[in-house]
Amino acid sequence: MAQRLLATLARTLGSEQAALELKWMRQAIADRTQPFGPLKLLARPPVLIPRPETEDWVIKLAKTLSPTVQKPINMLDLGTGSGCIPLLLCHLWPPGSLKAHAVDISPHALSLAKENAAFCGVPSTSDGSRPVNTFRATQASFLSRDFPSKPELDQVLPIDLLTSNPPYISWEEYLGLPGSVVNYEDPKALFGGPSGLDFYHSIARLLSRADLFRPNALVALEVGHQQAENVQALLRSTGRIVQSEIWTDPWGKKRTIIGRM
């Protein structure tokens, strides 16, 4: 089973990254925890296990922006899963510089993200006694055309930073996944529609709404195998992105689209 999984991962990730991916999955399943940067996060099925390629671009993103207590930023993370992206930024950026809000459709993911926030010592609100970064999570689907309609999401507006590692596996790729992946991780966290791009189209619709974003806002999206150029073109088609670039991961894969408004 392990060799079949390794071979399947290697077809899309390359042999080196596939071996690391398998190692991380085994650790998460055995220990129910997962390292992510300097953090140790709780991990359990069916929530997506935080991946090393995600860790890499989040650390790079933390070095790209420099929020401060005097100029804090509002962040929205779409499809947060374990909460790994906003929680790592809460840890890496100065206290009081980040107000992170996250959404996910899965109650399992929301529960785990909130547990991870508590596990990492990141509060949901500030009592004003000292500067702190905060993290809040709300159940919502950003595929919905009326998103973000919930009152609790008003506090994240206007958005300075939008991040997402959305489901991006195509139907063809999903059918080829071994049971050890499908049985551990929620299909809704993996399957991104027939082409794997459904969630990126929804994100592009959000970007088209100027009322949601602060001027000079930044967007960071993880993408799947051979999707980078298509997603970059999709973001540019909104007319809201004035500059974009593609970041590669340590294994040479085009992994992240960065867009600046």
Side-chain angles (χ1 to χ4, degrees):
M1 179 63 74
Q3 289 302 316
R4 178 171 172 243
L5 174 57
L6 184 62
T8 301
L9 293 172
R11 283 197 292 271
T12 56
L13 301 178
S15 58
E16 183 180 355
Q17 188 181 356
L20 182 58
E21 178 94 358
L22 183 59
K23 177 183 176 182
W24 277 46
M25 289 182 68
R26 283 173 166 166
Q27 178 175 333
I29 293 170
D31 299 342
R32 296 297 176 94
T33 63
Q34 182 74 345
F36 197 72
L39 300 179
K40 177 176 279 190
L41 299 177
L42 303 173
R44 64 171 178 262
V47 183
L48 191 73
I49 302 169
R51 300 301 207 266
E53 58 268 27
T54 307
E55 174 192 274
D56 175 74
W57 71 256
V58 175
I59 292 174
K60 185 175 180 180
L61 178 64
K63 297 175 181 178
T64 300
L65 298 175
S66 301
T68 64
V69 177
Q70 293 75 27
K71 292 185 177 181
I73 64 175
N74 292 333
M75 170 188 180
L76 180 60
D77 185 46
L78 302 175
T80 198
S82 64
C84 61
I85 295 172
L87 290 176
L88 182 52
L89 292 175
C90 281
H91 180 83
L92 295 175
W93 282 335
S97 67
L98 177 62
K99 295 178 181 178
H101 208 117
V103 299
D104 205 292
I105 192 61
S106 165
H108 300 289
L110 287 177
S111 177
L112 183 60
K114 291 175 182 179
E115 288 178 43
N116 272 324
F119 192 58
C120 296
V122 180
S124 60
T125 59
S126 171
D127 62 10
S129 62
R130 59 186 177 87
V132 293
N133 292 331
T134 59
F135 170 86
R136 303 190 71 177
T138 299
Q139 186 173 18
S141 171
F142 64 93
L143 290 178
S144 174
R145 291 196 174 262
D146 65 352
F147 178 87
S149 59
K150 294 194 173 184
E152 55 264 43
L153 292 175
D154 290 343
Q155 60 191 293
V156 77
L157 303 178
I159 300 165
D160 298 288
L161 172 63
L162 180 74
T163 60
S164 186
N165 177 17
Y168 53 63
I169 294 178
S170 68
W171 182 242
E172 181 179 359
E173 290 175 313
Y174 183 74
L175 290 176
L177 290 176
S180 52
V181 174
V182 176
N183 294 337
Y184 186 94
E185 297 181 318
D186 188 349
K188 292 192 292 294
L190 299 170
F191 181 48
S195 68
L197 300 177
D198 283 7
F199 289 86
Y200 299 107
H201 284 282
S202 293
I203 292 171
R205 285 198 299 270
L206 288 177
L207 296 180
S208 299
R209 293 184 52 185
D211 59 307
L212 299 181
F213 296 90
R214 203 183 302 273
N216 303 315
L218 186 141
V219 183
L221 307 177
E222 183 167 326
V223 297
H225 183 56
Q226 296 181 339
Q227 292 177 336
E229 284 79 7
N230 288 336
V231 174
Q232 184 181 41
L234 183 60
L235 297 191
R236 287 176 172 173
S237 71
T238 66
R240 299 272 296 143
I241 301 298
V242 298
Q243 181 183 356
S244 65
E245 58 184 306
I246 298 172
W247 288 353
T248 57
D249 65 21
W251 302 273
K253 301 292 184 180
K254 296 177 180 178
R255 183 60 59 190
T256 315
I257 308 301
I258 302 295
R260 299 177 185 275
M261 294 186 177

